[in-house]
Amino acid sequence: MNAGAAAAATLRVRHLTRYEYDAPVELAHHMAHLRPRATPAQTVSNWCLEVTPEPDESAHELDASTDVFGNWRHCFSHARVHDRLEVFSSFEAALSAAAAADAALSPPWEQVAARLRYRAGSTMPEACEFALGSPHAPRSAAFVRFAGDLFAPNRPLLDAVGALMQRVHEQFEYRAQSTDVATDALQALQLRRGVCQDFAHVMIAVCRSMGLAARYVSGYLSTRPPAGQPRLVGSDASHAWVSVWCPVQGWIDFDPTNNLRPSLEHVTLAWGRDYGDVAPLRGVIRGGTAARPQVQVTVEPV
């Protein structure tokens, strides 16, 4: 967090992924995006990663590096037979509220789009790569037809993006297990249903199709249980939302699943072009069978 900024909330996050294989796995290589990144509004402490069975490397010497977007990634391998894999990440995040961004003060969206267009010899802003299509969030006329009317001439960028967030929220049904990690934004647009990943991909694809820069943010959301009911362990889930680039206010977050601006209940893990860049855990195995992961995420106040 910025120097002198006080934490407005501190959340403890525990994320367990378990695979139960029907047949023994002889060899496996995995990469995890499970170490949260530090941001001006988020300070991370007490992060640890536990892998069972213990990887070939020492548990304290996993292959750690950062990717092109600055996210932490850890790679590990198993060269001995196993029929079960558990990956457990835990940490605490101290959050401070970001300064409110006045949508009316953002420049007209078409001026921002023009700035993001490539011109020979021009100095490209960092955001330009996020204006290009990606496998899960391509540019397409279908997205312009879905929401292009929200981008009227001279409409402030953040005002138009806020209206887009609301449209995605209202016109898509949140339905668990109606899609999978391979579902892209075009498929989600046709289905009009999905999970937070799909809501984010559709919103990103619309922004890119209008010439704007938007990135996929993975993280966690602390949910409040109904009044009088206890918080259920594992009831929280990994979450995803969208960050849109504005040349005046910088990167501004939007959560289309919940139709709100992320604040003190959103914990940032990583960001990239789409889910494919920041999947919490991915890998290749020899032997075994395709196994659906069992995931438990708990986010609770400290």
Side-chain angles (χ1 to χ4, degrees):
M1 291 179 288
N2 294 328
T10 301
L11 300 177
R12 179 180 295 112
V13 179
R14 289 171 290 187
H15 183 163
L16 173 65
T17 304
R18 179 185 296 113
Y19 284 90
E20 300 277 359
Y21 302 109
D22 291 337
V25 173
E26 301 171 358
L27 179 67
H29 300 286
H30 295 281
M31 181 174 67
H33 280 97
L34 287 170
R35 179 175 176 177
R37 60 189 303 157
T39 74
Q42 174 174 291
T43 300
V44 179
S45 61
N46 300 323
W47 178 81
C48 70
L49 183 68
E50 300 174 9
V51 180
T52 306
E54 185 173 328
D56 296 341
E57 308 87 355
S58 165
H60 300 289
E61 298 177 358
L62 297 180
D63 184 8
S65 62
T66 55
D67 63 19
V68 68
F69 305 112
N71 304 304
W72 283 102
R73 59 186 176 187
H74 292 76
C75 299
F76 56 91
S77 301
H78 291 99
R80 59 183 183 276
V81 175
H82 58 284
D83 57 12
R84 180 179 185 178
L85 173 67
E86 288 190 354
V87 180
F88 178 72
S89 169
S90 64
F91 62 92
E92 293 177 5
L95 308 176
S96 62
D102 189 339
L105 297 180
S106 61
W109 72 270
E110 63 267 46
Q111 290 184 14
V112 179
R115 183 172 175 177
L116 289 165
R117 295 193 195 106
Y118 174 77
R119 294 181 179 85
S122 66
T123 302
M124 302 286 282
E126 176 189 356
C128 284
E129 64 185 310
F130 294 101
L132 304 175
S134 62
H136 284 84
R139 299 175 66 167
S140 170
F143 298 113
V144 178
R145 291 191 295 270
F146 168 66
D149 61 298
L150 300 176
F151 294 82
N154 295 316
R155 187 172 190 180
L157 167 67
L158 298 183
D159 187 44
V161 174
L164 170 61
M165 173 178 68
Q166 182 173 350
R167 177 166 293 184
V168 173
H169 175 75
E170 291 177 347
Q171 296 198 15
F172 283 73
E173 175 190 1
Y174 185 91
R175 188 185 300 178
Q177 299 184 357
S178 60
T179 57
D180 57 35
V181 295
T183 303
D184 62 30
L186 282 168
Q187 294 169 315
L189 181 64
Q190 184 177 16
L191 292 169
R192 297 297 175 102
R193 64 177 181 270
V195 293
C196 57
Q197 170 186 309
D198 305 297
F199 282 60
H201 282 154
V202 169
M203 184 170 173
I204 291 169
V206 172
C207 289
R208 291 176 178 171
S209 298
M210 300 303 299
L212 302 172
R215 65 191 184 191
Y216 181 97
V217 186
S218 69
Y220 304 99
L221 174 66
S222 178
T223 57
R224 293 188 178 96
Q229 295 186 19
R231 183 181 300 275
L232 300 177
V233 175
S235 62
D236 295 349
S238 55
H239 197 53
W241 57 94
V242 179
S243 194
V244 176
W245 182 75
C246 175
V248 177
Q249 290 103 328
W251 289 97
I252 305 297
D253 288 354
F254 296 84
D255 182 350
T257 305
N258 296 289
N259 193 31
L260 54 77
R261 296 268 188 94
S263 184
L264 297 178
E265 293 196 341
H266 287 68
V267 178
T268 298
L269 185 60
W271 58 61
R273 297 168 303 163
D274 58 33
Y275 171 84
D277 287 333
V278 294
L281 185 64
R282 64 169 57 201
V284 293
I285 61 174
R286 186 174 71 191
T289 56
R292 189 178 185 91
Q294 304 170 44
V295 179
Q296 289 183 323
V297 175
T298 301
V299 183
E300 57 189 0
V302 174

